[in-house]
């Protein structure tokens, strides 16, 4: 055989194999780099990243809860973090413990920042589609920063917000940047800016409450203004939201003989944006104060409480039980909350009759016809108090009350100390106490010393 | 591209099959026609000879000068006898011929009459006898006449005959396992050839395989470790890893056989060069190469388990960078090259059969110090006193079965029985101990059976090897069994006058592994674990049942309402809930080698592999698991009827895995010699490789295996369960996971030898992998190595020193690396399918984008020295190496505010060094007795360097697989300094930096006050193997040892709701004052200070009080083999029979720690029962036909 012929064959056969394109095949099916609009859509659809709202700390700290039963107290003592939250102490997280609420919310922010940075230049989607995803990420980021700044920083106060430390404001998906806390004013400014950018771009309707629609964006805007005590802006935003959606369920249809199943949070038309709390504790004994306010005729009592003897760790008393009516507690945005924001703003601006009418319209859906009675107010302050009480009845057990307690410290009428007895010791929460500002975990403070811890 | 390669492969697969068949047929048709047919016109005589040779098989022998005088031949014959044909051909030639023993000798006609007469007269017929070292005749020895194509094979009586010799020839006699004998004839015609057995320990393996090429060991610069088939045959276990244990210095193999599960373990060559992080995807396992191609299944996933141990010809460990660098980035942890047996050309068919039966001593359930039953009951009393257990009766539900003792104590607390009654009942309960019943009903003697049959042989142009293997392995836990079989067919064909060589092999292996969790569950501290007094059978022999999940009264109440029975018995469960794992592995290799010139050849080779894995767990409708699954999902409706949330029946969970791979390689080989002074060996090649991995699984409810029927369930709709919650079944089908790994590689390896004395070698490799999101430039870096070796014995100065048999030195340096897999410079998203709650398809970012990650790099330097003295009776191989790894990947905690709580860094440097020493010496080497000894000694250590690890950062101790610390080895053990107990029975510890500073509560800096106790891997380890043969007996003993290093003696576990029988708990602190007499902390719980006990036990069990030395010597194996005498064997029509008896795992014969604890089999204080390692006894018979 001709040597050269064989050599040629050998050389050709060897070089045939050498094509570097060969190794540009995607290694793991189901792993992609972000290129197409659909990639970003999948990312913003991630429920696990976005569903975390306020957590255990808010639920255990608020005055909905009063763990009076001694057996329950003993059982509850197993977790020092829970005990510290319940007794308004600090720190919650010692040594190397993670604050999973904080971690989960910032994980979400990384995802939103990734989407915000890339979706507008992505391939394959329509202009509207890209904008809608962009707006969705902005709203989710706003909500998350709103929760963070309300949990870990002082209540917004126009006089001190420019100097009060807020939370690290990360607007890019980047590691190793400075984590200095932006001021409360800067964080709120970002929240409002993002919402204003998002509102014209976000669709009016969404597939379900995991994703924010335009009413949700207005609702969040209303909530943010309410927290900033800009009541006229809050009222205006709430009205924009209610104009889009004002569905309120009639709870009568969920009790009694017909026993219709309560819709899951995700399908609940009253919910504008579903967020849940990472609750780890199920036996939440409700305070007498709340139970008196609620009364036993209220359908919210029927649906969302349960006798303490039926809990895993049984106790004497009444416990909060989201599971009776639905699949969890929503700590996101809802029509009823927006409804009550508008009512509060009306009451605060002297329109007490309008405010009370709103309350009555809501309450008609919360009682059996036989048990329903109209409310009426004789003074503006009384009307405002009625709204706040209605908020307690509507949102008990979810921890939203904690943020009301914190917010209302700025109203001299509502600013009052709270006291609870635990394991024989008495604990008091003074108005505007540092306990209203949750501590950061010492782990993240140690990792980045520019991150200043909240005072004890 | 992909499609084309695939088609090419299909073609090669088909071709291979044809070749395989054809070569087998060729072997079968080994008889030759004696009738010749020829039709040629004016053909050269050489061409005519070739044709005749092809038809008759006769060889032609002639002087080239003589043939020059031949004239062209024209001939036309059909079916004529050979002599007549030759007569015709030679009629008009100036030549004559003679036929000698299937050979035609061509002579010049002009030779004188005298010459021709003497040639005839000088012909000698030589008769001979081949005997072995004991003077017995040897059958089947091959006697070859040097320089002539003439040979004979000794008959059953050892005799052979060679006809028509001149009497001046040299005879070379060979027999497997014996040194070849060379005898120069001096005219005698009756000879006796006495064969000497090859001395195993000193057996010089001269060829090492790197997987790409075979290297002559004398000219290799790298560091290799070799295990031959003969070595492996000494160890009769199914596990190849176990067989390899202790045989090669520098290779650390750990296998644990406590639970009778022999086929798992880890292998580690020269320590580690990277760090195992929880998220780092860098493998720390050596690359497994089987017959030239990387195994598609890694060692950890059972890559070695698919091999028939008897098929292995040789295992070569590539230990240093020069040896391993040819494999590129896969070789960072060393390479294990397995070559399987092949048939030999020109050898008669031989058939080998062997069978091995192994069994073990009776299992024991009381390994390690355990508490007695009364002590255990006493502990339960104390636990109730300390509020560690609460009475489940008011709530009716249990998370686990309330123990009998606890039920009695709580019944007293509720006032149902008096104190005296309680004590009487507890005393009665204390009479029981279930250890014997567990051994009887839940355990068995582990037993394995192996059968191996192989056949090999070869003709002039081909050879074959075929084998079949079957084994069963009954584990110590009843109803647990592993079995498997494999087939292997390999052929070699030589085509085109030896210019083309084709190797093909096809292998198939199947393993079936049945596991049943009943025994292990019953022996554990899980919810269904038995307490020491929980008997399996009642005194009358009936099965004893227990309730779990609910208290007995509630159980009966629920059963009456329509719930399935709550009763639980481990003995019943042995029949249910089996998991069957079936693996099928198919491999096809083809290699075609073509010689272009005598020194240049090209090899094209390919390999296709398929691995199917099926895992099926069936919980029968009657199984406890299935009953409880249904019960937990059952509620009672308003009309008092049960509503089943999950269909009644069984549950079938199945998982399927598929791995398919292919390799394609083109390689040029150069083997060139000039003037016997220069020698160049080089390979230059290019290959592609793809491994595709796919997994999927699903769960079926209401399953009935008899009729394969099941119910369709709605995974998202909630149902009311037993506890009043409303869960849903959840997805019944698991995710489909697919992964494709591709590599494109170029490699070269060259060695140049001058004067057989000096060798310079170098190798380089470039690997390109499909890393998602990484640009071309960053995807691959070249890896290389260089080496030198010097055969000093060949220097004039040493050449004549008789006592020095050999002396050589080696030096290599190499550079390898690892790509940052799993992280990309851009954001990569994982597609997660559809979220079951929101109904939306979704993706997530599981890792942040990292632009700054560099390759992990390892540099390795190796010095080697080899010498042997006194006729190679004493031989030493010594290697010293250093490893320096930089930019090691390490997952470090970062501030979770960034969105992730940890990420990968190029974090640390790792300096490793070590010594591999192999010593062998033959103390006796007489005809009757030989005594050979081998000592393997390895030393390996490493130190981490990185400023970042001066102190631990964040929560690294929970996120990392391996925590590292600057200035310490990777396997460090840190301890608290124990300072006694305080008056509350809590552990006190002393600050090692500030004597006298005592810490009591959780209020201390956690890490700062620990100090270094030592390494958890012994730096020195190895084996001593000694072999004595006396006549037909062969006695081998293997000792394994480890020196240095520490471990922590297991003592007590944290007592929560679960309590073990850990013996040290008896000594626990119980009341103030006890701290003067005991060091074991108490279990008391002080509510006012939270749960401080946990910290106390943590301090105690991490204290220096429990640190012990690992140093020990174990008697690993004793083997006695006997070769049945020839005369007895021949009567059976068999060539040879060997029987052997082996005892393994004979335990420690020396240990430094005073408790005599084996650090490799530490008892676990968090379980109730422990199985002691027990000796294994094997009996083996092998025979060859």
């Amino acid at each position: 055989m001709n040597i050269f012929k064989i050599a040629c064959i050998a050389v050709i056969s060897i070089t045939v194999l050498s094509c570097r394109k060969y190794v540009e095949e995607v290694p793991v099916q189901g792993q992609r780099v972000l290129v197409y609009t659909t990639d970003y859509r999948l990312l913003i659809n991630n429920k696990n990243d976005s569903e975390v709202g306020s957590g255990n700390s808010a639920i255990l700290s608020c005055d909905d809860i009063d763990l009076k039963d001694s057996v329950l107290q003993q059982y509850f003592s197993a977790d020092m973090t829970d005990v510290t939250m319940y007794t308004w102490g600090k720190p919650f997280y010692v040594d190397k413990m993670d604050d999973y609420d904080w971690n989960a919310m910032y994980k979400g922010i990384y995802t939103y920042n990734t989407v915000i940075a890339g979706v507008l230049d992505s391939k394959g989607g329509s202009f509207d589609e890209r904008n809608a995803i962009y707006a969705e990420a902005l709203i989710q980021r706003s909500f998350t920063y709103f929760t963070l700044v309300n949990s870990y920083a002082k209540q917004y106060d126009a006089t001190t917000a420019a100097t009060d430390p807020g939370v690290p404001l990360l607007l890019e998906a980047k590691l190793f940047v400075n984590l200095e806390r932006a001021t409360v004013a800067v964080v709120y400014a970002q929240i409002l800016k993002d919402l204003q950018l998002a509102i014209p771009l976000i669709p009016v309707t969404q597939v379900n409450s995991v994703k924010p629609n335009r009413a949700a964006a207005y609702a969040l805007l209303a909530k943010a203004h309410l927290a900033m005590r800009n009541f006229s802006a809050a009222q205006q935003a709430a009205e924009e939201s209610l104009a889009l959606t004002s569905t309120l369920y009639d709870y009568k249809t969920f009790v009694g003989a017909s026993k219709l199943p309560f819709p899951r949070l995700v399908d609940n038309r009253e919910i504008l944006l579903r967020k849940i709390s990472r609750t780890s504790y199920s036996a939440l004994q409700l305070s007498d104060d709340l139970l008196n306010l609620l009364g036993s005729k209220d359908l919210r009592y029927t649906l969302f409480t349960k006798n303490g003897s039926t809990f895993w760790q049984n106790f004497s008393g009444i416990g909060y039980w989201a599971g009776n009516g639905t699949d969890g507690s929503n700590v996101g945005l809802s029509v009823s909350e927006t409804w009550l924001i508008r009512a509060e703003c009306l009451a605060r601006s002297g329109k007490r009759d309008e405010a009370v009418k709103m309350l009555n319209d809501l309450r008609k859906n919360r009682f059996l016809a036989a048990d329903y009675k109209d409310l009426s107010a004789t003074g503006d302050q009384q009307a405002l108090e009625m709204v706040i009480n209605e908020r307690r009845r509507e949102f008990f057990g979810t921890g939203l009350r904690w943020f009301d307690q914190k917010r209302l410290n700025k109203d001299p009428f509502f600013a009052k100390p709270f006291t609870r007895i635990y394991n024989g010791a008495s604990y008091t929460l003074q108005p505007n106490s540092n306990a209203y500002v949750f501590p950061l975990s010492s782990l993240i403070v140690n990792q980045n010393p520019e991150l200043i811890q909240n005072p004890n | 591209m992909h499609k084309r390669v695939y088609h090419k492969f299909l073609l090669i697969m088909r071709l291979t099959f044809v070749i395989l068949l054809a070569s087998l047929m060729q072997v079968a048709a080994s008889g030759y026609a004696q009738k010749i047919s020829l039709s040629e016109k004016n053909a050269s005589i050489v061409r005519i000879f070739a044709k005749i040779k092809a038809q008759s098989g006769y060889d032609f022998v002639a002087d080239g000068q003589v043939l020059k005088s031949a004239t062209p031949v024209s001939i036309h014959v059909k079916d004529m006898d050979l002599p007549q044909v030759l007569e015709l051909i030679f009629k008009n030639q100036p030549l004559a011929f003679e036929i000698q023993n299937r050979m035609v000798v061509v002579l010049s006609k002009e030779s004188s009459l005298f010459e021709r007469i003497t040639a005839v007269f000088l012909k000698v017929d030589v008769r001979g006898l081949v005997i072995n070292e004991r003077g017995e005749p040897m059958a089947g020895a091959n006697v070859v006449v040097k320089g002539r194509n003439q040979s004979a094979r000794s008959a059953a009586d050892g005799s052979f005959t060679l006809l028509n010799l001149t009497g001046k020839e040299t005879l070379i006699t060979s027999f497997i396992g014996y040194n070849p004998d060379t005898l120069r004839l001096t005219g005698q015609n009756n000879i006796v050839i006495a064969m000497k057995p090859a001395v195993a320990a000193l057996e010089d393996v001269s060829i090492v395989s790197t997987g790409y090429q075979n290297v002559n060991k004398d000219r290799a610069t790298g560091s290799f470790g070799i295990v031959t088939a003969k070595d492996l045959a000494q160890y009769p276990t199914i596990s190849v890893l176990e067989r390899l244990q202790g045989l090669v210095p520098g290779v650390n193999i750990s296998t644990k056989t406590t639970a009778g599960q022999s086929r798992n373990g880890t292998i580690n060559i020269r320590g580690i060069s990277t760090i195992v992080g929880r998220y780092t995807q860098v493998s720390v396992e050596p690359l497994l190469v089987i017959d030239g191609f990387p195994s598609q299944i890694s060692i950890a996933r059972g890559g070695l388990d698919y091999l028939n141990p008897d098929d292995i010809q040789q295992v070569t460990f590539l230990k240093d960078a020069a040896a391993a660098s040819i494999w590129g980035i896969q070789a960072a942890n060393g390479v294990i090259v397995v070559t399987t047996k092949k048939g030999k050309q020109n050898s008669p068919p031989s058939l080998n059969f062997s069978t091995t039966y192994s069994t073990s001593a009776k299992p024991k359930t009381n390994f390690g110090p355990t508490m007695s039953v009364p002590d255990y009951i006493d502990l339960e009393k104390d636990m109730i006193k300390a509020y560690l257990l609460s009475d489940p009766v008011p709530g009716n539900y249990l998370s686990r079965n309330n123990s009998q003792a606890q039920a009695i104590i709580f019944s007293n607390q509720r006032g149902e029985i008096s104190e005296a009654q309680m004590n009487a009942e507890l005393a009665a309960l204390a009479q029981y101990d279930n250890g014997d019943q567990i051994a009887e009903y839940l355990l068995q003697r582990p037993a394995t059976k192996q059968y191996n049959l192989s056949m090999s042989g070869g003709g002039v142009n081909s050879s074959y090897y075929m084998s079949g293997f079957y084994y069963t392995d009954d584990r110590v836990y009843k109803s647990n069994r592993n079995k498997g079989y494999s087939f292997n067919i390999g052929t070699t064909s030589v085509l085109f006058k030896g210019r083309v060589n084709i190797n093909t092999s096809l292998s198939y292996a199947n393993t079936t592994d049945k596991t049943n969790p009943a025994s292990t569950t019953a022996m554990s501290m899980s919810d269904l674990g038995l307490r020491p007094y929980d008997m399996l059978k009642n005194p009358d022999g009936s099965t004893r049942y227990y309730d779990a999940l609910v208290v007995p009264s509630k159980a009966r109440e629920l059963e009456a309402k329509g719930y399935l029975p709550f009763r639980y018995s481990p003995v019943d469960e042995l029949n249910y809930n089996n998991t069957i794992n079936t693996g099928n592995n198919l491999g096809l290799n083809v290699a075609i080698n073509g010689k272009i010139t005598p020194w240049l050849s090209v090899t094209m080779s390919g390999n296709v592999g398929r691995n199917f894995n099926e895992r099926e767990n069936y919980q029968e409708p009657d199984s406890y698991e299935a009953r409880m699954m249904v019960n937990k999902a059952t509620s009672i409706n308003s009309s008092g009827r049960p509503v089943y949330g999950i269909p009644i029946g069984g549950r079938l969970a199945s998982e399927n895995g598929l791995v398919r791979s292919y390799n394609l390689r083109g390689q040029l080989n150069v083997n060139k010699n000039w003037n016997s002074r220069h020698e160049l060996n080089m390979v230059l090649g290019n290959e592609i490789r793809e491994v595709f991995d796919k997994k999927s699984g699903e769960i079926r409810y209401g399953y009935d295996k008899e009729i394969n029927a099941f119910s369709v369930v709605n995974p998202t709709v909630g149902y009311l369960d037993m506890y009043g919650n409303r869960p849903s079944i959840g997805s019944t089908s698991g995710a489909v996971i697919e992964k494709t790994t591709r590599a494109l590689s170029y490699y070269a390896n060259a060695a140049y030898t001058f004067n057989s004395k000096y060798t310079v070698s170098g190798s380089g490799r470039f690997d390109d992998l499909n890393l998602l999101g990484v640009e071309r430039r960053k995807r691959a870096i070249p890896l290389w190595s260089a080496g030198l070796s010097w055969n000093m014995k060949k220097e004039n100065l040493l050449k004549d020193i008789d006592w020095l048999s050999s002396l050589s030195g080696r030096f290599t340096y190499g550079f390898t690396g690892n790509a940052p897999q799993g992280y990309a410079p851009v954001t990569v998203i994982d597609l997660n399918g559809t979220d079951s709650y929101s109904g939306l398809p979704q993706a997530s970012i599981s890792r942040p984008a990292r632009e700054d990650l560099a390759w992990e790099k390892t540099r390795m330097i190796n010095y080697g020295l080899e010498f042997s003295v006194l006729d190679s009776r004493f031989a030493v191989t010594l290697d010293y190496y250093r490893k320096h790894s930089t930019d090691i990947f390490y997952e470090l905690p970062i501030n979770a505010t960034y969105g992730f709580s940890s990420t990968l860094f190029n974090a640390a440097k790792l300096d490793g060094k070590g010594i591999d020493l192999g010593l062998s010496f033959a103390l006796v080497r007489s005809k009757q007795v030989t005594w050979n000894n081998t000592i393997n000694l390895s030393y390996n250590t490493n130190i981490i360097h990185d400023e970042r690890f001066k102190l631990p950062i964040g929560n690294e101790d929970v996120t990392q697989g391996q925590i590292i610390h600057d200035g310490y080895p990777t396997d460090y053990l840190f301890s608290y300094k124990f300072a006694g107990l305080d008056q509350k029975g809590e552990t006190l510890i002393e600050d090692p930096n500030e004597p006298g500073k005592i810490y009591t509560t959780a209020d201390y800096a956690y890490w700062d006050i620990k100090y270094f106790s030592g390494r958890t891997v012994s730096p020195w380890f190895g084996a001593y193997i000694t072999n004595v043969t006396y006549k037909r007996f062969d006695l081998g003993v293997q000792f394994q040892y480890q020196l240095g290093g520490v471990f922590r003696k297991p003592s007590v576990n944290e007592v929560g709701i679960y309590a073990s029988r850990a013996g040290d708990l008896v000594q626990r602190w119980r009341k103030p004052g006890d701290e003067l007499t005991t060091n074991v902390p108490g279990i008391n719980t002080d509510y006012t200070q939270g749960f401080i006990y946990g910290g106390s036990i943590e301090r105690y069990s991490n204290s220096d009080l429990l640190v012990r030395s690992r140093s020990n010597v174990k008697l690993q194996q004793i083997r006695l083999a006997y070769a049945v005498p020839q005369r007895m064997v021949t009567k059976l029509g068999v060539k040879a029979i060997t029987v052997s008896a082996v005892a393994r795992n004979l335990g420690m014969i020396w240990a430094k720690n005073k408790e005599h604890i084996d650090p490799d089999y530490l008892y676990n204080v968090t379980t109730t029962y422990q199985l002691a390692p027990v000796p294994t006894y094997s009996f083996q018979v092998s025979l060859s036909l």
Side-chain angles (χ1 to χ4, degrees), chain A residues 1-4 6-7 9-11 13-34 38-49 51 74-75 77-80 95-100 102-104 106-112 114-115 168 170 173-179 207-208 210-211 264-267 274 276 306 310 312-314 321 323 326-328 423 443-448 450-451, chain B residues 1-2 4-5 8 387 394-395 397-399 496 499-500 595-597 602 604 662 664-668 684-690 692 716 723-725 736-744 746 766 768-773 776-777 779-780 826-832 835-850 852 893-901 903 905 952-957 1006-1007 1087 1089-1091:
Chain A
M1 251 195 274
N2 186 332
I3 290 169
F4 291 103
I6 299 173
I9 293 168
V11 167
S13 59
I14 282 172
T15 45
V16 149
L17 304 178
S18 48
C19 165
R20 291 192 74 180
K21 247 193 149 156
Y22 176 76
V23 284
E24 273 152 23
E25 173 98 2
V26 172
V28 178
Q29 278 72 0
Q31 261 193 359
R32 306 183 33 78
V33 288
L34 290 158
T38 47
D39 298 331
Y40 289 95
R41 174 168 295 289
L42 292 173
L43 206 49
I44 200 67
N45 279 353
N46 190 313
K47 182 205 76 187
N48 300 334
D49 276 352
E51 71 180 357
Q74 193 194 340
Y75 188 69
S77 296
D79 192 323
M80 284 313 292
D95 207 11
K96 291 160 191 161
M97 286 168 70
D98 275 296
D99 177 351
Y100 288 107
W102 174 282
N103 294 4
Y106 272 103
K107 172 75 202 295
I109 285 170
Y110 187 93
T111 303
Y112 310 140
T114 304
V115 174
L170 304 179
K174 261 195 179 160
L175 303 183
F176 317 128
V177 294
N178 192 305
L179 292 182
V207 52
N208 60 38
V210 164
K211 297 157 86 65
R264 298 183 307 157
L265 297 182
V266 68
D267 308 315
R274 171 188 173 271
I276 55 166
K306 206 168 89 161
T310 59
W312 181 260
Q313 175 58 52
N314 45 53
W321 183 246
T326 179
D327 60 326
N423 268 340
L443 180 65
I444 59 166
V445 171
N446 290 342
Q447 282 171 330
N448 286 52
E450 72 269 23
L451 200 54
Chain B
M1 184 72 210
H2 174 253
R4 236 167 65 199
V5 171
K8 205 179 272 178
Y387 297 103
Y397 297 108
L398 297 168
S399 57
F496 304 114
R499 288 190 81 141
V500 175
K595 270 205 177 90
I596 297 169
T597 70
V602 58
M604 289 293 297
Y662 67 80
L664 207 54
R665 181 182 297 166
Q667 179 174 306
L668 282 172
L684 189 73
N686 163 231
E687 67 183 336
I688 54 172
R689 168 174 171 77
E690 179 183 299
F692 172 81
T716 54
Y723 307 110
N725 295 321
V736 179
I737 299 162
E738 287 182 298
K739 189 177 180 192
T740 309
T741 315
R742 279 190 169 187
L744 163 70
Y746 306 89
F766 176 85
D768 194 358
L769 309 172
N770 58 334
L771 303 173
L772 182 64
R776 229 174 240 199
R777 186 166 53 81
R779 240 170 20 215
V826 296
T827 305
V828 173
I829 56 169
D830 292 338
L831 307 183
N832 302 336
D835 182 76
S836 63
Y837 181 78
S838 69
L840 296 169
Q842 61 176 45
S844 60
I845 304 171
S846 55
R847 296 190 179 90
R850 294 298 308 281
D852 50 336
I894 56 168
N895 200 311
T897 311
Y898 295 122
F900 298 87
S901 53
T903 187
F905 286 86
I953 305 164
N955 51 354
E956 69 174 0
D957 38 342
Y1006 163 69
W1007 191 269
Y1087 273 115
Q1089 296 191 28
F1091 278 81

Side-chain angles (χ1 to χ4, degrees), chain B residues 677-976:
Chain B
R677 283 169 75 82
H678 310 279
E679 193 181 331
L680 178 69
N681 293 293
M682 185 169 85
V683 293
L684 189 73
N686 163 231
E687 67 183 336
I688 54 172
R689 168 174 171 77
E690 179 183 299
V691 181
F692 172 81
D693 203 326
K694 182 177 178 174
K695 286 187 199 77
S696 60
E698 63 185 324
I699 300 171
R700 293 187 172 94
Y701 292 92
Y703 196 80
D704 184 341
K705 194 135 203 176
E706 294 293 312
I707 50 173
N708 278 326
F710 61 95
S711 313
V712 177
V713 294
N714 192 327
T716 54
V717 168
Y719 57 84
L720 200 60
D721 74 3
M722 183 167 91
Y723 307 110
N725 295 321
R726 189 174 281 281
S728 56
I729 287 179
S731 178
T732 54
S733 47
V736 179
I737 299 162
E738 287 182 298
K739 189 177 180 192
T740 309
T741 315
R742 279 190 169 187
L744 163 70
S745 312
Y746 306 89
Y747 59 89
N749 185 17
Y752 165 74
T753 307
F754 177 69
N755 243 354
S756 305
K757 273 193 263 185
Y758 314 104
T759 302
V760 189
S761 73
S763 73
R765 181 164 173 127
F766 176 85
D767 283 314
D768 194 358
L769 309 172
N770 58 334
L771 303 173
L772 182 64
V774 185
E775 51 189 312
R776 229 174 240 199
R777 186 166 53 81
K778 281 190 168 175
R779 240 170 20 215
I781 59 170
L783 307 171
W784 57 272
S785 76
L788 286 171
S789 81
W790 179 22
N791 189 337
M792 293 175 250
K793 172 67 182 170
K794 294 215 167 157
E795 296 293 340
N796 289 340
L797 200 64
L798 302 175
K799 209 158 61 181
D800 301 322
I801 303 176
D802 282 345
W803 55 267
L804 185 68
S805 319
S806 69
L807 176 64
S808 62
R810 292 177 274 110
F811 166 78
T812 63
Y813 180 81
F815 172 75
T816 59
N818 259 320
Q821 293 185 45
Y823 279 86
V826 296
T827 305
V828 173
I829 56 169
D830 292 338
L831 307 183
N832 302 336
T834 299
D835 182 76
S836 63
Y837 181 78
S838 69
L840 296 169
Q842 61 176 45
S844 60
I845 304 171
S846 55
R847 296 190 179 90
R850 294 298 308 281
E851 287 164 47
D852 50 336
L853 283 178
W855 277 55
E856 183 176 285
K857 302 166 198 80
T858 300
R859 289 165 179 84
M860 188 168 176
I861 197 163
N862 189 87
Y863 305 90
L865 180 72
E866 279 167 45
F867 67 90
S868 58
V869 295
L870 304 174
D871 196 17
S872 298
R873 269 172 183 257
F874 185 81
V876 176
T877 306
L878 178 67
D879 279 277
Y880 169 72
Y881 59 89
R882 297 186 76 98
K883 274 182 180 181
H884 180 62
S885 303
T886 52
D887 291 330
I888 290 181
F889 300 134
Y890 196 74
E891 187 96 11
L892 277 174
I894 56 168
N895 200 311
T897 311
Y898 295 122
F900 298 87
S901 53
S902 67
T903 187
L904 198 66
F905 286 86
N906 287 114
K909 292 187 183 74
L910 179 68
D911 280 324
K913 61 179 180 208
I915 294 167
D916 297 347
L917 175 67
L919 276 176
S920 57
F921 45 102
L923 291 177
V924 183
R925 223 197 248 176
S926 78
K927 250 189 174 174
Q928 297 262 312
V929 184
T930 63
W931 183 15
N932 298 313
N933 299 277
T934 306
I935 295 176
N936 291 327
L937 174 68
S938 312
Y939 171 75
N940 176 272
T941 190
N942 65 52
I943 287 182
I944 285 279
H945 292 295
D946 194 293
E947 287 298 313
R948 276 170 284 199
F949 300 102
K950 285 276 185 231
L951 279 176
I953 305 164
N955 51 354
E956 69 174 0
D957 38 342
V958 288
T959 59
Q960 284 296 330
Q962 198 173 353
I963 315 163
I964 57 178
H965 206 320
D966 180 46
Y968 291 99
T970 47
D971 57 340
Y972 64 83
L973 185 75
F974 268 63
S975 303
Y976 293 116

Side-chain angles (χ1 to χ4, degrees), chain B residues 1036-1069:
Chain B
V1037 182
Q1038 191 195 41
F1039 297 91
Q1040 289 182 3
Y1041 61 87
Q1042 43 187 324
L1043 302 169
V1046 293
F1047 69 99
R1048 208 150 5 223
K1049 173 182 116 85
S1051 179
V1052 297
N1053 62 310
E1054 195 159 321
V1055 177
I1057 53 168
Y1058 302 100
S1060 74
R1061 286 180 85 179
D1064 285 356
L1065 273 173
V1066 177
Q1067 266 110 49
R1068 70 184 180 275
W1069 182 97

